[in-house]
Amino acid sequence: MSVVQSVLTATRVLERLSEPGLVGVSEIARDLGAPKSSVQRMLLTLKEAGWAADVRGETTRWTLTPKMFRLGQHHHAGNGLRSTALPVMEQLRDATRETVHLVVQRDDTVVVVECLDSPQAVRAHVDPGDVLPLHASTNGRALLSTQPEQVLRDLISKGLTASTPSTVTDPAAFEDVIRRARERGFASGEGQFRDGVHAVAAPIVVGGVGIASIGVSTPAQRMTPELEEAFGQYVMDAARTIAGRFGEDL
């Protein structure tokens, strides 16, 4: 069987870029045992294709773009995520008596995979298939909390548009929101995409990648600081359960 050397080199470069931190051309060439000129050409090709990004400083360093992470998310989402998550979502809805939703990322948005409505008369609601801005949805923020800083910088550089008067659009404030989500293990917010709705969400992490997020939405008047913390624990537990079951099925 013949091997296409350029494809083999590209996959090895991508694997090296997937490791934590930024990396330079010389480091990649040394680790791969490949000529520096060949690695440089491969990185420029991957950049042109949208898979790699260069970060310029005293020396140029390289990292993966969000495209690779999205590819992994789409793969996982198509492999039974909904069926794995549904029993856990039902338990979460029953425990909170609020609306529960499962989303995956698509470019700079999130797509609702499933939604289970609260049994209460006054409730939050989204439909499966609804598309929400990544930055203006609590589920999206939960996913962003798992991704490299470069992903966050790229998103901010495109501009954070407001969906409501409460949407966080200031770059520094938005970075603080994501930092807080990383520290807590879940994201939360009120009125970011829809006025009068408070949501809490946690990322579902499989193999080190945030493949989806699960959240709870409630009318804002029912939310309290104590309830937000309790719901945060609920969604983190649910996310870990789904990740464990889904990881076993891969």
Side-chain angles (χ1 to χ4, degrees):
M1 180 180 67
S2 61
V3 174
V4 181
Q5 190 61 43
S6 61
V7 175
L8 185 61
T9 301
T11 58
R12 288 174 174 168
V13 170
L14 288 170
E15 288 171 351
R16 182 62 182 85
L17 291 177
S18 71
E19 297 175 12
L22 302 174
V23 63
V25 175
S26 297
E27 295 170 74
I28 298 174
R30 182 183 65 246
D31 293 346
L32 270 56
K36 185 176 176 180
S37 58
S38 298
V39 171
Q40 179 71 28
R41 287 195 300 272
M42 186 58 65
L43 286 167
L44 292 173
T45 301
L46 291 170
K47 178 182 178 181
E48 181 67 23
W51 295 101
D54 54 341
V55 180
R56 298 185 181 277
E58 292 184 6
T59 60
T60 300
R61 314 283 281 177
W62 291 83
T63 186
L64 291 178
T65 68
K67 191 172 184 178
M68 181 60 72
F69 295 94
R70 292 167 191 154
L71 180 66
Q73 289 165 347
H74 294 163
H75 167 73
H76 288 311
N79 277 330
L81 175 62
R82 179 186 174 278
S83 60
T84 300
L86 196 54
V88 183
M89 294 178 67
E90 291 171 345
Q91 292 172 356
L92 182 59
R93 179 200 54 199
D94 293 345
T96 62
R97 290 181 53 79
E98 299 293 355
T99 297
V100 175
H101 30 80
L102 177 74
V103 313
V104 294
Q105 184 177 347
R106 180 191 294 165
D107 298 323
D108 295 336
T109 67
V110 292
V111 181
V112 179
V113 175
E114 184 58 271
C115 176
L116 302 182
D117 279 341
S118 164
Q120 303 186 70
V122 179
R123 61 193 178 214
H125 175 76
V126 290
D127 289 311
D130 280 356
V131 179
L132 287 66
L134 184 64
H135 71 280
S137 63
T138 303
N139 283 93
R141 292 172 172 186
L143 282 165
L144 283 169
S145 73
T146 71
Q147 296 180 12
E149 288 293 336
Q150 186 62 42
V151 176
L152 187 58
R153 287 193 291 267
D154 288 346
L155 181 66
I156 290 173
S157 71
K158 298 174 185 177
L160 304 174
T161 57
S163 297
T164 74
S166 300
T167 305
V168 177
T169 58
D170 176 74
F174 188 70
E175 288 178 347
D176 286 342
V177 167
I178 302 304
R179 188 177 303 111
R180 173 75 166 149
R182 289 191 182 117
E183 292 171 352
R184 300 173 85 187
F186 66 92
S188 65
E190 179 181 337
Q192 293 302 299
F193 177 69
R194 189 170 293 154
D195 286 325
V197 174
H198 196 120
V200 177
I204 299 169
V205 181
V206 176
V209 177
I211 64 165
S213 68
I214 184 168
V216 172
S217 291
T218 176
Q221 65 266 27
R222 282 208 292 265
M223 185 61 77
T224 65
E226 295 77 18
L227 201 56
E228 181 181 275
E229 289 295 329
F231 282 8
Q233 189 61 56
Y234 277 133
V235 294
M236 286 192 293
D237 290 345
R240 282 191 289 266
T241 299
I242 295 168
R245 294 178 183 177
F246 191 60
E248 292 173 356
D249 293 337
L250 293 180

